[in-house]
Structure formats: structure tokens, C-alpha cells
Amino acid sequence: MAAITITPTANPFSVKHTLSATPNTQQEFKIPGSARRVEVYFETNAGKVIWAGGTDAAVISTEAAYPVTADVGYYWDLPQAQQTHSVWLASATGSTVVHVAVFE
């Protein structure tokens, strides 16, 4: 898998992605430094968010993963920066669809 770079063309900008068929496999999303807020929404199945120390295409092992309930939007604010942020998303159920929205 390759990291998905989110490049906002409108505010908010969102991307829909189907996570790996292998449970708990991390998918990296690169978020622009201009972003102020990120929202994730896992369809049908619960998911996990890793803010730091994730590895794209690796199975979650020792990373601190925050659980997110299915079909509920979860958002967090980002510190003001001029560099790209990364977040890693995964689900214990393979092929879960996730939506990621970025607000500037």
C-alpha cells in the first residue's frame, strides 16, 4: 500500500477509501499542514486511529490505537503547522470503508 496524500481543493475536502482486507492493517493518510481539523467516519465497522508512530501497510502491534465506533464521525483539531501531518487508520474488520474529511 502507498500513503494517501490528501490535497484540499475545496473546504472541506474529503476522500473515501476501502481499508485493507487484512484486519488491523494500517493505511497512512498524509494531511496538509494548512489543515486545522480532521474528521474520520468508519462505515458499518469500528475503526482505529493512530496519531503517531504508525507504519503504512503494517499490522497494528505496539502502536497506541484509539478506537472509533462505527457510523459515528470522530474529529480532532490539529496544531497550526506548515508541514504535512500523518494519521494511520485501520479496522479489525477487513475491507472497511472510511471517509476522511479535512478542514482548513
Side-chain angles (χ1 to χ4, degrees):
M1 296 178 347
I4 297 171
T5 300
I6 298 175
T7 307
T9 55
N11 192 14
F13 180 76
S14 64
V15 64
K16 178 180 176 181
H17 181 75
T18 302
L19 297 171
S20 174
T22 304
N24 294 314
T25 299
Q26 302 170 49
Q27 173 64 59
E28 181 179 6
F29 289 82
K30 292 186 177 184
I31 300 163
S34 59
R36 297 293 168 253
R37 175 175 282 181
V38 178
E39 181 176 7
V40 297
Y41 178 91
F42 293 94
E43 286 185 15
T44 310
N45 303 304
K48 298 172 185 167
V49 176
I50 300 167
W51 290 288
T55 303
D56 188 54
V59 174
I60 296 173
S61 60
T62 60
E63 297 83 6
Y66 183 81
V68 177
T69 306
D71 300 321
V72 174
Y74 172 74
Y75 68 90
W76 64 95
D77 294 326
L78 295 170
Q80 195 167 21
Q82 294 302 316
Q83 60 192 23
T84 302
H85 304 275
S86 282
V87 63
W88 295 265
L89 305 176
S91 176
T93 305
S95 301
T96 296
V97 174
V98 65
H99 298 264
V100 181
V102 174
F103 302 84
E104 292 188 316

